[in-house]
């Protein structure tokens, strides 16, 4: 059967959860395709359509091992994401994809994995985290270092609480709050504080550009090699298939050749992200 | 086998192509462009360079992807709007534009092929016209692996021999097109071939501009990413889209929803040309822009054509038509820029 | 969150439902995006109707409502209050006017229904993008400024003071009283003007809440309703009123004589003078425009020499006094149309051609002739007097287009008074029409004709000239068509009223609008006649339009009560639908600053900012801005665009 | 006659004294006969500066760029930039001053008088030369140009190859300068709105035919607004995304961006765009004609702006770009403004 | 039988005069055609030229802007700015070939219900023979 790459499949929103309220609101959506669907890999993205408003590339935060829905956690940012935030259970949206490369988690078997995320940056790595948790026996120690600006800005609050019984979780917020018992400071500072061992470990870092930069610096400082560090990059996208020409970093189209890069690869590319 | 077509018979050939949409260069308000030939008798191939290249026929500036319509509350009907792919013939395609189409083919092909493009592309027959003399003062095709009589991308190549055309059939599509003309085509004889070859050879000497020794340019560009060179070079850029919109190889596009009715919601998803020269091209909705200024955007244009494309497809994404030089309102000259890159001390 | 709008379509009995298929409109609206509830009801404004809205807001968790009913002028407040009671912001309620603008003006049910649906949809689009706003609150300075000390200003000041508010009454001449103090008797009762005015003047001077500032002028007004800052220039009188005992010795020695304003030039006065005996404040003023002696500082010194109480102080300087007030009443009154303009009637050329005010002075017991009517030229009793109405009024080609309103009445009064003084005299009145609307007015005119034998001639005077000691008046009686020629001893012109000298400049300082004739513009000619276009400033008396005394007094009291309406508040609330600057887009070009009628936009740091208290939300700025960088809240360009789309069905 | 040497000497003086940051001027382009904008930063480069009939560009466009750059710099060099201006260009400075986009001290204005002629119209010249290639174009001694081709030199009267804007120019001498080169020659323009009047004589339907055919060609490359010194808005109403975004711009604000027109280059959207541009330039367009010259598909855009310039003049007595102190056309009115159209 | 063409008209009415005048027409039960959908704005001075272009782009057959008579503006002089700005718009629309009847401006005071009715009647009458406005209207797919 011929497939038209630009024609989205229709999907229904089956749950909406507000993770963070306020101006920089974040919501998590679960969707089910009306007809057919696709399977994705950890780290891949999908193009969500709100008809009449346009499309937006969003990373899939659910694990490929979960078959009955796709999950997206979305920060309200512009025209399309605002429209997505207006969705309710039962709303119909368009989805096409999956797009981009994936985290090479098969090749990480037997290794420890360190997840370092900030803000909405937990979404792209959530899929890896969930998958590795489901196949815990294939991997070594799993550690999450996650931070947000303030405690209300933390995403997946319930899941994180639950996670603490399954893996090491280190949380942080940027500025001290009275009730806060954990680390105060940026994620990178938390990394330096906790000093996870680079031994047989892969680090995945994801978050705002400045956070990624400082985290990579911190990780390098504590001994992680460039090829042990993975991150994801986002650029403005339209087609999702490397044709429309806007998301490139050098010869790479982030939508097709990215969004997952090891720091060893990424540092070779021009600074255009 | 190559053919000969008398110029007086050329209109008859066009008449015979009733099943095709025929595009040919036409002069409107002092500007040449490929336009649908409504009066086929009036088509003449005596023209210089068009303002907009032939890419607009296989990759129109605006095309519809699909139509969406709210069926019931929160349900949608999507109707795919693929082009019908009506047989189309473009006359007078210059060698550089034929070659450009092959480059665009690379982009829109591959694993994930672009149906919309291919529907039109497959239906299009490109009839080239070898340049006896450069159609623009800024032609430099020879410098970028092209030639004024390149056959790349073309289905038929015609060469003007005075009162007749020397017609080379290059593909099956071309063969079919010529066969529509039937008896008006005659077998070419060796002197005809010689004459055509002479014109071809002469034309190569007539090119006004050249861009020499650029094989190191891709590597050079790599090292110049952070150079202030780009600031200086882009000073006079006014950030319009002429250089890219009118480039036969540029293919960047935008996708937008155009709403026709709010209730029930109905509209179309539309693809339009876009260009890396517009500031909003890469701007994130957060306001962050990886290419924040015109220096970064000029760098992108040159890098894409002379580095990135070369790395991926082993070819320059420039066919030397010179349109971007001729029509730039402030005289930014890609030849000069690339020469400066070439001569830049790293 | 997705919007949750509720739609309520009112039948208004059959007023709407008779022409609009309300059910189908409700059904159609239910399909609109973001509409969570759509119903119709027979009378939305009734208690059950309002309850229905409130209940639906609560039950269906509506975040906005549209009521499709009558004009928003009628029930917008009703429904906004209902919305507020149900817990949503009052701006989350919009009205679609489907009665006045739809059901009442169309007959075809299909078309009317179609239109009603579009109107409602347009309101839905608007309300869904309305911001929740709270009124802008400002504290109030509980003090008023009254500008002008004529009868209007006096009345306003007394009303305000009586209600317990501090008032500053500013009058530019040395005494309050205005033109009313110059009048002899008043129509239609013929009671003595001075006698009824003087007690009020005295009350002003004695009232503890009134600060009287005569010989003073308002120089600058800044601020906004509730909080104006006023700069008042107090000119020096060179006489200390506290010391002056009104002995009048000073005027006797003063060597300078100038025309007396109070007697409209019929007499003279000295450079040091009291305007008239009953003047308030009862004190002398040394008029430094007429006194100066180039060799000394200002004066010859004679008046100071004779003043036993040493009340004269040549070192007095002009003072600028700053005051803060919450409301301003402008009662700057009128002046008569300039006589230079009436050369065709010989005014200014012949001594015995007078204007109405001069004639008042002639009739007045305190006037130059002690109430005897004598010709200024030869002090003889005039036997034939011609009164000309509409002198300068109702003449759009040459003079003022408007009717000065009071001339018909005072001319009748003049003729009557003349007859009472000169029993054998004959009064003629040239008129266009006689306008005698007012209590007792028509009877008054009739009395003039019947009892005092005044001859009314309908027609215009074509020429007036002097011949053999007589003033020849040529005219035409348009009723009989016959030419008329009268050898008059005196001619009295009922000069048009015009805004007083300097009113235009003052209006500019106060940023008040004026009409084409220079009278101050009211906010609405019918419904807001005492309010100016600027919030917190009110109009009283002839400054707004020609008026007689009762009207002026009525408006003055009206203005005072409007001002009290402001002053009685702790804080003022201002509509929050004001302009807002989108800083990212603003380039500071200042086009909006130039067009703002309220000076509410100012430059700041290369961009502009809006003073929300001054802004009235007209939106002229937003239509002028090329970048849509300034928008009116709750009627943004985005909202209007959505409304356009809704109107066109797309 | 303006001499290159004089302009160069002035430029050199300015750069050597450090009075200006750099000088925006004209140099000879790669094709050997047409001018291009150039940015002279060093005194030794002043010899690049030229002045001639191909100095089409309104360099004030780059003064706008300079202001934009300055806003973004933390410690900007506050010295003025030198800029070469023709009469029309100088009026653009007046508008920028009127709209407070720049201050007078931001520019050092090197005025050049167009004297008896102006700049040429490349397309007119090409038609005139019928395929021959120009190698050089110079001002002639009178109202003419001296054009050199491979086949020799010809004298062409200004009326035949001069740009339309120059034929209708009302300010061939700069109206605001720090230094002026060339003579303040007097020139009368009998028909300052002649070209528009030709369109006005057409019937309504013919005008629509004319404009719809013209605007159909538009590819929305936005060269017209990009080249225009008056189109200095950060975010144009034609932009489909929110442009002027700061870190505190909320998603709601961005979602509120009004999408007046679609990106599709179809007649309705093209005409919307061009009408908006025309109305936004009413009382601001100084008729430098750059939009029309830059247009790659030759749309007579000047005829939209010129129409409104004409109406501003005739209806409201408003002259554009001569007095930076007066209010903008649409931010003032006269009581006697016509209202016979209001019924 | 083909139905008679019914023009779609968008009217921008200022709140204080023209909208009130239109209300008065309603109160006085003056009948007029239902082709006009009014949009109430605060002042005619707030009507941006873009509104008019947008209305035509979205398929309006006619556009009316109505405000207070000169001197009567609730906001002192907003209508005077409108007069100048919208005359330019009108000239521009006519310049590109739109029929002059399609864009109309009027002064209607709060007391002029009759005049409002008259304006609408005239406008509809003048627009009917012109047929649908297709020049500035965006294309639609069905």
């Amino acid at each position: 059967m011929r497939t038209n790459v630009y024609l989205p499949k229709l999907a229904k929103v089956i749950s909406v959860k507000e993770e963070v309220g306020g101006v920089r609101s974040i919501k998590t959506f679960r969707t089910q395709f009306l007809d057919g669907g696709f399977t994705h890999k950890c780290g891949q993205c999908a193009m969500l359509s709100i008809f009449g408003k346009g499309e937006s590339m969003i990373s899939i935060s659910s694990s490929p091992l979960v078959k009955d829905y796709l999950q997206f956690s979305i920060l309200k940012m512009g025209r399309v994401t605002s429209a997505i935030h207006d969705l309710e259970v039962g709303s119909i949206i368009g989805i096409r994809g999956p797009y981009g490369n994936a985290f090479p988690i098969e090749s990480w078997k037997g290794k420890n994995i360190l997840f370092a995320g900030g803000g909405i940056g937990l979404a792209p790595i959530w899929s890896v985290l969930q998958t590795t948790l489901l196949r815990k026996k294939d991997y070594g120690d799993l550690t999450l270092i996650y931070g947000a600006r303030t405690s209300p800005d933390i995403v997946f609050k319930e899941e994180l609480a639950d996670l603490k019984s399954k893996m090491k979780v280190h949380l942080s917020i940027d500025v001290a709050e009275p009730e806060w018992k954990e680390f105060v400071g940026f994620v990178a500072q938390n990394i330096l504080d906790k000093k996870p061992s680079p031994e047989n470990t892969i680090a995945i870092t994801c978050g705002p550009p400045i956070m990624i930069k400082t985290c990579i610096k911190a990780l390098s400082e504590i001994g992680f090699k460039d090829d042990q560090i993975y991150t994801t990059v986002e650029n403005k996208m339209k087609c999702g298939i490397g044709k429309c020409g806007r998301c490139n970093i050098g010869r790479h189209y982030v939508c097709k050749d990215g969004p997952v890069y090891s720091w060893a690869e990424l540092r070779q590319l021009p600074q255009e992200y | 086998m190559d053919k000969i077509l008398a110029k007086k018979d050329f209109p008859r050939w066009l008449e015979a192509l009733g099943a095709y949409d025929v595009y040919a260069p036409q002069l409107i308000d002092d500007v040449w462009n490929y336009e649908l030939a409504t009066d086929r008798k009036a088509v003449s191939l005596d023209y210089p360079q068009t303002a907009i290249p032939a890419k607009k026929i296989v990759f129109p500036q605006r095309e519809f992807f699909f139509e969406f319509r709210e069926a019931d509350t929160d349900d949608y009907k999507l109707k795919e709007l693929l082009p019908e792919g009506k047989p189309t013939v473009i006359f007078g395609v210059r060698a550089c534009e034929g070659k450009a189409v092959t480059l665009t083919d690379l982009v829109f092909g591959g694993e994930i092929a672009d149906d919309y493009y291919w529907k039109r592309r497959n239906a299009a027959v490109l009839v080239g016209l070898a340049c006896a003399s450069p159609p623009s003062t800024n032609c430099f095709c020879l410098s970028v692996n092209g030639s004024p009589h390149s056959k790349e991308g073309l289905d038929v190549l015609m060469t003007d021999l005075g009162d007749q055309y020397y017609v080379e059939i290059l593909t099956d599509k071309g063969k079919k097109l010529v066969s529509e003309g039937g008896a008006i085509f005659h077998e070419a004889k060796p002197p005809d071939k010689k004459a055509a070859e002479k014109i071809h050879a002469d034309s190569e000497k007539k090119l006004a501009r050249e861009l020499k020794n650029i094989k190191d340019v891709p590597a050079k560009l790599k090292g110049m990413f952070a150079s202030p060179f780009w600031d200086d070079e882009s000073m006079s850029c006014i950030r319009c889209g002429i250089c890219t919109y009118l480039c036969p190889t540029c293919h960047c596009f935008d996708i937008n929803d155009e709403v026709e009715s709010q209730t029930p919601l109905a509209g179309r998803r539309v693809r339009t040309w876009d260009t890396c020269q517009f500031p909003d091209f890469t701007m994130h909705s957060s306001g962050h822009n990886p290419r924040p200024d015109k220096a970064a955007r000029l760098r992108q244009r040159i890098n894409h054509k002379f580095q990135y494309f070369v790395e991926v497809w082993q070819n320059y994404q420039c066919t030397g038509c010179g349109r971007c030089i001729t029509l730039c309102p402030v005289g930014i000259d890609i030849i000069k820029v690339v020469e400066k890159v070439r001569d830049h001390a790293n | 969150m997705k919007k949750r709008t509720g739609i309520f379509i009112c039948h208004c009995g059959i007023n709407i439902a008779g022409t609009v298929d309300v059910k189908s409109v409700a059904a159609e609206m239910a399909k609109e995006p973001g509409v969570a509830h759509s119903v119709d009801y027979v009378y939305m404004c009734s208690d059950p109707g309002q309850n229905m809205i409130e209940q639906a807001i609560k039950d269906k968790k509506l975040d906005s409502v549209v009521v499709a009913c009558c004009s928003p002028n009628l029930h917008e407040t009703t429904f906004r209050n209902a919305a507020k009671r149900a817990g949503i912001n009052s701006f989350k309620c919009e009205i679609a006017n489907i009665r006045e603008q739809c059901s009442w003006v169309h007959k075809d049910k299909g078309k009317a229904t179609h239109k009603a649906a579009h109107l409602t949809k347009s309101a839905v689009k608007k309300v869904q993008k309305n911001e929740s706003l709270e009124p802008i609150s400002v504290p109030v300075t509980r003090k008023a400024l009254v500008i002008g000390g004529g009868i209007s200003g006096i009345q306003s000041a007394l009303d305000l003071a009586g209600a317990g508010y501090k008032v500053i009454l500013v009058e530019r001449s040395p005494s309050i009283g205005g033109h009313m103090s110059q009048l002899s008797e008043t129509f239609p009762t013929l009671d003595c003007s001075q006698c009824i005015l003087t007690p009020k003047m005295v009350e002003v001077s004695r009232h503890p809440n009134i600060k009287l500032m005569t010989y003073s002028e308002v120089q600058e007004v800044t601020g906004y309703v509730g909080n104006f800052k006023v700069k008042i220039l107090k000119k020096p009188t060179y006489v200390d009123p506290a010391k002056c005992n009104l002995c009048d010795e000073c005027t006797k020695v003063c060597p300078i004589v100038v025309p007396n304003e109070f007697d409209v030039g019929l007499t003279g006065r000295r450079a040091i003078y009291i305007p008239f005996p009953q003047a308030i404040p009862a004190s002398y003023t040394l008029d430094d425009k007429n006194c100066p002696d180039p060799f000394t500082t200002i004066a010859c010194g004679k008046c100071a020499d004779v003043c036993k109480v040493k009340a004269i102080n040549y070192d007095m300087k002009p003072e600028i006094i700053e005051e803060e007030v919450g409301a301003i009443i402008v009662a700057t009154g009128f002046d008569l149309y300039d006589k230079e303009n009436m050369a065709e009637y010989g005014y200014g050329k012949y001594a015995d051609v007078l204007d109405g005010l001069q004639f008042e002075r002639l009739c007045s017991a305190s006037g130059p002739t002690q109430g005897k009517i004598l010709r200024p030229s030869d002090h003889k009793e005039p036997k034939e007097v011609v009164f000309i109405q509409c002198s300068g009024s109702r003449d759009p080609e040459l003079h003022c287009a408007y009717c000065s309103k009071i001339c018909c009445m005072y001319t009748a009064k003049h003729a009557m008074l003349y007859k009472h003084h000169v029993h054998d005299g004959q009064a003629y009145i040239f008129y266009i029409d006689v306008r005698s609307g007012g209590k007792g007015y028509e009877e008054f005119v009739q009395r003039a004709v019947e009892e005092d034998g005044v001859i009314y001639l309908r027609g215009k005077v074509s020429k007036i000239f002097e011949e053999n000691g007589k003033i020849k008046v040529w005219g035409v009686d348009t009723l009989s068509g016959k030419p008329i020629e009268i050898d008059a001893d005196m001619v009295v012109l009922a000069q048009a009223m015009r805004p007083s000298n300097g009113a235009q400049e003052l209006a500019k300082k106060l940023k008040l609008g004026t009409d084409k004739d220079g009278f101050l513009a009211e906010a609405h000619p019918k419904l807001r006649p005492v309010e100016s276009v600027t919030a917190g400033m009110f109009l009283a008396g002839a400054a707004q339009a020609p008026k007689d005394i009762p009207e002026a007094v009525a408006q003055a009291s009206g203005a005072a009560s409007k001002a009290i309406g402001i002053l009685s508040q702790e804080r003022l609330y201002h509509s929050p639908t004001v302009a807002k600057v989108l800083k990212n887009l603003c380039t500071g070009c200042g086009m909006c600053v130039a067009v703002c009628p309220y000076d509410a936009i100012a430059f700041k740091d290369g961009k502009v900012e809006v003073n929300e208290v001054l802004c009235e939300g007209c939106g002229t700025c937003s239509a002028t801005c090329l970048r849509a960088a300034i928008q009116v809240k709750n009627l943004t360009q985005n909202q209007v665009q959505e409304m356009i789309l809704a109107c066109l069905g797309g | 006659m303006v001499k290159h040497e004089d302009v160069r000497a002035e430029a050199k003086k300015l750069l050597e004294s450090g009075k200006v940051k750099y000088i925006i001027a004209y140099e000879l382009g790669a094709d050997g006969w047409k001018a291009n904008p150039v940015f002279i930063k060093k005194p030794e480069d002043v010899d690049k500066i030229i002045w001639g009939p191909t100095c089409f560009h309104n360099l004030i466009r780059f003064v706008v760029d300079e202001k934009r750059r300055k806003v973004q710099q933390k410690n900007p060099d506050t010295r003025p930039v030198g800029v070469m201006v023709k009469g029309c260009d100088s009026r653009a400075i007046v508008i920028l001053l009127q709209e407070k986009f720049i201050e007078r001290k931001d520019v050092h204005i090197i005025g050049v008088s167009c004297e008896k002629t102006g700049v040429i119209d490349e397309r007119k010249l090409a038609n005139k030369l019928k395929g021959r290639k120009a190698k050089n174009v110079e001002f002639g001694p009178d109202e003419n140009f001296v054009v050199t081709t491979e086949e020799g030199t010809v004298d062409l009267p200004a009326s035949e190859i001069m740009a339309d804007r120059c034929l209708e120019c009302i300010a061939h001498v700069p109206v605001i300068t720090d230094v002026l080169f060339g003579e303040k020659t007097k020139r009368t323009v009998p028909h300052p709105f002649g070209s528009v009047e030709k369109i006005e004589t057409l019937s309504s339907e013919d005008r629509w035919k004319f404009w719809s055919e013209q605007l159909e060609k538009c590819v929305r490359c936005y060269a017209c607004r990009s080249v225009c010194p008056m189109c200095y808005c950060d975010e144009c109403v034609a932009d489909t995304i929110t442009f002027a975004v700061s870190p505190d711009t909320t998603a709601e604000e961005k979602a509120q961006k009004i999408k007046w027109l679609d990106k599709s280059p179809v007649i309705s959207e093209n005409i919307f765009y061009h009408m908006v541009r025309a109305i936004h330039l009413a009382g601001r367009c100084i008729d430098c004609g750059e939009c029309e010259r830059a247009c790659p598909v030759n749309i007579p855009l000047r005829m939209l702006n010129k129409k409104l310039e004409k109406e501003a003049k005739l209806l409201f007595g408003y002259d554009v770009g001569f007095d930076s102190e007066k209010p903008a056309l649409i931010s003032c009115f006269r009581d006697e403004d016509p209202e016979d159209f209001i019924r | 039988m083909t139905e008679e063409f019914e023009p779609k008209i968008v009217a921008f009415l200022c709140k204080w005069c023209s909208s009130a005048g239109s209300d008065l027409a309603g109160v006085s039960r003056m009948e007029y055609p239902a082709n006009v959908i009014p949009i109430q704005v605060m002042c005619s001075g707030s009507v941006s030229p873009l509104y008019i272009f947008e209305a035509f782009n979205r398929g309006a057959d006619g556009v009316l802007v109505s405000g207070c008579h000169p001197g009567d503006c609730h906001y002192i002089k907003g209508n005077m700015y409108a007069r100048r700005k919208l005359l330019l718009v009108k000239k521009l629309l006519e310049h590109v070939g739109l029929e002059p009847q399609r864009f109309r401006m009027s002064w209607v005071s709060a007391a002029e219900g009759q005049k409002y009715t008259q304006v609408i009647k005239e406008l509809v009458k003048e627009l009917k023979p012109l047929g649908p406005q297709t020049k500035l209207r965006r294309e639609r797919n069905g």
Side-chain angles (χ1 to χ4, degrees), chain B residues 28-31 33 51-52 61-62 64 134 136-138 209 231-232 234-242 245-246 254 256-259 270-275 278-280 283-289 294 326-333 336, chain D residues 22 30-31 34 36-39 41 57 61-62 65-66 68-69 122-124 127 133 213-214 217-227 233-234 239-247 254 259 262-266 290 293-298:
Chain B
I28 298 172
D29 297 326
D30 281 355
V31 178
N33 266 319
I52 303 169
Q61 188 171 0
R62 173 212 202 200
F64 305 130
S136 150
T137 48
N138 291 309
R209 314 260 334 242
D231 291 316
D232 290 342
S234 65
M235 277 288 267
S236 61
C237 173
I238 56 168
R239 66 179 195 184
C240 74
I242 289 182
Y245 273 11
L246 306 186
D254 196 1
N256 282 297
D257 284 8
E258 295 185 354
V259 175
V270 182
R271 158 153 78 189
T272 50
W273 289 354
D274 203 349
T275 154
F278 287 163
D280 58 347
M283 199 181 92
H284 296 191
S285 59
S286 65
H288 168 65
N289 197 341
K294 54 191 190 181
T326 312
L327 290 159
C328 177
V330 290
I332 292 177
D333 186 329
K336 291 274 164 199
Chain D
Y22 59 88
D31 53 19
K34 272 189 313 193
N36 276 341
V38 67
F39 303 83
K41 293 171 183 162
H57 321 77
R61 170 64 184 72
F62 302 106
D65 270 1
E66 173 60 25
R68 283 218 184 93
R69 261 195 298 275
E122 250 190 281
R123 291 181 180 108
K124 283 189 193 172
N127 283 341
K133 305 261 183 320
E213 280 170 7
Q214 290 297 337
K217 298 187 297 191
C218 175
V219 292
R220 300 266 282 282
C221 65
Y222 294 134
C224 44
R225 82 171 189 210
S226 304
V227 80
C233 300
D234 285 334
D239 290 328
T240 44
I241 72 157
T242 320
F243 226 105
V245 170
S246 63
K254 282 179 251 180
K259 202 176 165 196
D262 286 331
K263 208 165 180 170
S264 284
V266 291
E290 280 289 272
R293 182 189 67 87
C295 181
V297 291
N298 222 4

Side-chain angles (χ1 to χ4, degrees), chain C residues 71 97 106-107 111 528, chain E residues 6 23 31-32 36 54 74:
Chain C
S71 166
N97 181 351
H106 308 311
K107 286 223 173 84
K111 286 175 183 168
R528 297 169 69 194
Chain E
E6 291 292 350
D23 275 0
E31 202 197 337
Y32 57 81
V36 176
E54 178 75 355
H74 181 80

Side-chain angles (χ1 to χ4, degrees), chain C residues 15 71-73 76 97 99-102 104-108 111-112 114-115 118-119 122 126 511-515 521 523-526 528 533-534 577 594-598 616-624 626 632 635-638 640-641 643-645 647-650, chain E residues 6 8-10 12-13 15-16 18-20 22-52 54-56 58-61 71-79 81-82 85 110-111 116 128 140:
Chain C
N15 278 304
S71 166
N73 292 336
E76 186 175 79
N97 181 351
R99 192 179 75 176
E100 282 82 349
Q101 294 185 352
C102 187
W104 275 352
V105 286
H106 308 311
K107 286 223 173 84
D108 182 315
K111 286 175 183 168
H114 185 71
K115 178 171 168 181
H118 282 84
L119 284 167
S122 159
K126 177 175 190 293
K511 295 165 202 100
L512 293 180
T514 52
D515 63 22
H524 189 277
K526 281 129 205 112
R528 297 169 69 194
V533 286
T534 306
T577 51
V595 298
C596 180
Y598 305 100
E616 293 276 330
C618 70
T620 303
C621 51
S622 86
T624 306
L626 304 178
V632 177
L635 197 59
T636 60
Q637 294 205 352
N638 192 330
V640 175
Q641 188 205 25
M643 288 160 80
I644 294 171
L645 300 191
C647 287
L648 291 165
Chain E
E6 291 292 350
K8 280 196 217 170
I9 302 164
V10 178
F12 297 93
L13 308 181
K15 173 177 169 144
W16 305 97
S18 301
S19 192
S22 145
D23 275 0
L24 178 63
V27 173
S28 321
R29 307 292 207 278
M30 297 168 176
E31 202 197 337
Y32 57 81
N35 304 60
V36 176
I37 315 281
I39 292 178
Q40 182 179 299
V41 292
M42 297 308 278
C43 176
S44 53
S46 74
V47 177
S48 162
L50 281 153
Y51 296 171
I52 293 149
E54 178 75 355
F56 284 125
R58 295 289 174 161
D61 300 307
D72 288 356
C73 178
H74 181 80
Y75 301 106
I76 308 171
K77 51 191 179 177
N79 56 353
Y81 294 115
K85 205 160 37 203
Y116 181 77
K128 278 195 174 175
R140 284 187 196 215

Side-chain angles (χ1 to χ4, degrees), chain B residues 246-306:
Chain B
L246 306 186
C247 173
T249 68
C250 276
H251 60 264
C252 291
F253 59 84
D254 196 1
I255 305 174
N256 282 297
D257 284 8
E258 295 185 354
V259 175
E260 287 161 11
S261 153
Q262 300 277 0
T263 28
L265 185 74
R268 285 175 290 201
R269 185 155 291 167
V270 182
R271 158 153 78 189
T272 50
W273 289 354
D274 203 349
T275 154
C276 58
Q277 299 305 297
F278 287 163
D280 58 347
F281 187 65
T282 50
M283 199 181 92
H284 296 191
S285 59
S286 65
H288 168 65
N289 197 341
R291 288 180 211 134
D293 51 23
K294 54 191 190 181
R297 296 192 279 271
L298 176 66
R299 178 178 66 198
Q300 165 66 16
R301 180 162 80 96
I302 304 295
N303 269 331
H304 195 182
K305 295 195 176 307
F306 289 93

Side-chain angles (χ1 to χ4, degrees), chain B residues 159-179:
Chain B
T159 304
D160 190 336
L161 299 180
D163 50 9
Q164 57 190 18
Y165 291 113
Y166 186 80
V167 180
E168 295 170 70
I169 299 165
L170 308 170
T171 64
D172 289 347
K173 276 199 278 186
K175 195 171 179 180
K176 180 161 183 289
L177 194 79
V178 168
S179 71

